[in-house]
Amino acid sequence: MPRRLRLPARLPLDPYVLALLGTVALASLLPARGTAASLAQGVATAAVALLFFLYGARLSTREALDGLRHWRLHLTVLACTFVLFPVLGLAARGLVPWLLTPPLYGGLLFLCAVPSTIQSSIAFTSIARGNVPAAICAGSFSSLAGMVLTPLLAAVLVGGTVGGFSADALVRIALQLLVPFLLGQALRPRIGGFVTRHRAALGFVDRGSILLVVYAAFSAGVAAGIWHRVGVVRLGALLAVEAALLAVMLLVTWYGAKRLGFGRADRIAIQFAGSKKSLAAGLPMASVLFGAQASLAVLPLMLFHQMQLMVCAVLARRRAWDPEEEAEAGAAVAAAGARP
């Protein structure tokens, strides 16, 4: 008798998302103004540079190069992340302005340009008994590609939809994100061991940096009247659009990978790496690209992040006892038995 799908007893409400929402509430009630706003923005800028320096120091170039042998899988994930997502975002243009306001739609387009996650893709691939090494490499390649592709895609897709974006943002990305990242990579032989040993402690630096970025962005947003421009109805509409976007990507990554001839373990890695977006990479990039308008740009990404965690937690447990795995295993045993 086939087992029924069981929802987890407790869906994962990411504590970090709660911290982000608390930071948004703090910025709404006590926004930084005047000199305090300039100070907050300056500290956030320095924190973002430190964040990407640590990203560069952590990333093992050797592991990334070792993963190149599985190039078809990585190209598939990159195509889903930086081609299919943006195409679907452009297709949602017809929802403006009757369902989504132009600024929210601009944030949705930015969401579609953000690279894939690393940590959660690996975690869900492991739970579902998929190809974990492939998920590690796919997430790493996506993050590396996003350093260049996300700003370029944002320039093409978003343009003036979210105010404050200009060609100068590409220069700021290079100076504030790419240069620290490359410096971290260059110093990895000297500091890589220290970074690895203190990964947990430095993780608080990561999270704290992003919280500073969110506070500075939403403080500027409150000063510009963000909550007068985004109502409950519009937020509900945005959630519905993002749910449809996530559903389409989960279906396409699973069945599309099957059509391309990937086995079950690889399809799991493709589904979880190709359907997700990185909050950790997207928030700092938005602060650099959009400046004072970053609050509207990151709101869709923050909502999508929590949604993908909850949906993929259920899906990963479903994949862990997928009957297709048993069928593939049985076929492999039969084929082995048929050999002379």
Side-chain angles (χ1 to χ4, degrees):
M1 178 182 297
R3 283 182 280 184
R4 294 189 304 172
L5 173 62
R6 291 183 179 178
L7 295 177
R10 176 176 168 273
L11 288 174
L13 184 60
D14 189 351
Y16 188 50
V17 172
L18 293 178
L20 287 169
L21 294 176
T23 303
V24 171
L26 177 63
S28 300
L29 295 173
L30 297 172
R33 299 180 185 275
T35 303
S38 299
L39 179 61
Q41 187 59 54
V43 172
T45 299
V48 168
L50 175 61
L51 183 68
F52 277 80
F53 173 79
L54 292 175
Y55 284 167
R58 284 195 195 103
L59 181 63
S60 171
T61 308
R62 176 177 295 179
E63 288 179 3
L65 293 176
D66 288 344
L68 286 175
R69 62 180 181 272
H70 216 347
W71 60 270
R72 286 183 65 245
L73 185 149
H74 303 317
L75 284 180
T76 301
V77 172
L78 290 175
C80 291
T81 303
F82 297 114
V83 178
L84 184 54
F85 255 111
V87 167
L88 292 175
L90 290 173
R93 181 66 179 84
L95 303 177
V96 181
W98 64 275
L99 192 60
L100 296 177
T101 63
L104 284 181
Y105 175 64
L108 182 70
L109 286 176
F110 176 70
L111 155 70
C112 291
V114 170
S116 178
T117 62
I118 299 178
Q119 290 90 345
S120 58
S121 294
I122 295 169
F124 289 132
T125 299
S126 176
I127 292 171
R129 295 189 287 176
N131 189 338
V132 174
I136 295 172
C137 292
S140 299
F141 290 152
S142 181
S143 295
L144 285 172
M147 295 288 294
V148 176
L149 292 179
T150 296
L152 294 177
L153 283 172
V156 173
L157 297 175
V158 182
T161 305
V162 176
F165 185 89
S166 66
D168 292 340
L170 299 180
V171 177
R172 293 199 301 272
I173 279 283
L175 294 177
Q176 193 174 338
L177 305 185
L178 187 58
V179 170
F181 177 85
L182 294 176
L183 181 61
Q185 274 282 285
L187 294 178
R188 178 177 167 77
R190 294 177 177 273
I191 65 174
F194 175 85
V195 171
T196 301
R197 289 193 302 272
H198 298 86
R199 179 180 295 270
L202 292 175
F204 290 106
V205 176
D206 288 359
R207 297 180 181 90
S209 299
I210 294 175
L211 291 177
L212 282 171
V213 168
V214 170
Y215 179 75
F218 275 88
S219 289
V222 169
I226 178 178
W227 300 125
H228 296 290
R229 301 162 61 188
V230 181
V232 175
V233 175
R234 294 292 189 181
L235 284 178
L238 176 62
L239 285 170
V241 172
E242 291 190 335
L245 176 64
L246 179 59
V248 169
M249 289 304 303
L250 288 171
L251 289 171
V252 169
T253 51
W254 183 249
Y255 292 105
K258 184 176 183 179
R259 290 293 299 271
L260 291 174
F262 289 100
R264 178 186 176 278
D266 287 346
R267 289 166 64 196
I268 288 173
I270 290 171
Q271 184 175 53
F272 288 123
S275 65
K276 303 242 279 309
K277 292 295 183 176
S278 173
L279 187 71
L283 289 179
M285 286 186 179
S287 72
V288 178
L289 289 169
F290 303 112
Q293 301 298 320
S295 54
L296 284 173
V298 303
L299 189 59
L301 179 59
M302 290 172 62
L303 296 175
F304 189 83
H305 175 80
Q306 181 58 40
M307 184 184 297
Q308 71 186 9
L309 288 180
M310 297 177 70
V311 172
C312 289
V314 176
L315 187 58
R317 288 172 172 82
R318 172 67 179 85
R319 294 280 180 241
W321 52 265
D322 196 336
E324 184 177 341
E325 180 190 20
E326 299 176 6
E328 288 186 4
V333 171
R339 294 173 186 165

